[in-house]
Amino acid sequence: EFYGLPIKEYHGLMRISYHHGSEISDPERRDSDPHSKTSQMVSQFIQKHFKGVSVKPAIMELCMYTITPDLAPIMDRHPVYHNIIIGAGFSGKGFKFAPVVGKILSDLALGNPPSSDLSPFKIDRFKVPRSRL
């Protein structure tokens, strides 16, 4: 899943990225390997789809974000401490959904009934059933 968009921080440049990159083991070194598998995949994508554009990155910055096993966020109350509202694991897509996420989380915090079905975002969807012996 590749995407591209203009980037205001660097005039005249465009961000072209692969959404599901590799795991980053050391956040302090995340931008230091231009020969990473992700970088190679982006270069191949650019070469195939953007003829005449240099495949060498002018700037390389890797994004870090949290993901859940099913790539859907968690928007729910804490299962034990009901005064804690959880909004996490947006897989790098939370910014574009900020208005509706803010509404949902504020409704949860205020005790208002949610305006949407939140069952796909419940934290207990990851609960592993205990075996009975």
Side-chain angles (χ1 to χ4, degrees), residues 42-53:
V42 172
S43 292
Q44 290 169 356
F45 177 82
I46 292 169
Q47 186 173 30
K48 181 178 178 182
H49 297 283
F50 298 94
K51 303 297 181 203
V53 174

Side-chain angles (χ1 to χ4, degrees), residues 2 11 19 24 34-35 42 49 55 57 73 81 95:
F2 292 91
H11 181 72
H19 182 66
I24 298 171
H35 303 291
V42 172
H49 297 283
V55 298
Y81 304 102
F95 180 76

Side-chain angles (χ1 to χ4, degrees), residues 13-84:
L13 297 181
M14 176 144 196
R15 171 177 290 170
I16 299 176
S17 301
Y18 177 65
H19 182 66
H20 298 288
S22 53
E23 286 189 26
I24 298 171
S25 58
D26 182 356
E28 297 298 322
R29 301 190 68 224
R30 72 175 195 230
D31 297 331
S32 64
D33 185 8
H35 303 291
S36 72
K37 182 179 176 184
T38 301
S39 179
Q40 291 171 8
M41 290 171 58
V42 172
S43 292
Q44 290 169 356
F45 177 82
I46 292 169
Q47 186 173 30
K48 181 178 178 182
H49 297 283
F50 298 94
K51 303 297 181 203
V53 174
S54 173
V55 298
K56 183 179 179 199
I59 297 166
M60 190 169 117
E61 295 178 335
L62 299 178
C63 297
M64 292 179 54
Y65 49 83
T66 58
I67 61 172
T68 59
D70 62 2
L71 301 179
I74 297 168
M75 292 187 286
D76 200 0
R77 291 186 177 281
H78 189 281
V80 176
Y81 304 102
H82 297 284
N83 61 327
I84 297 175

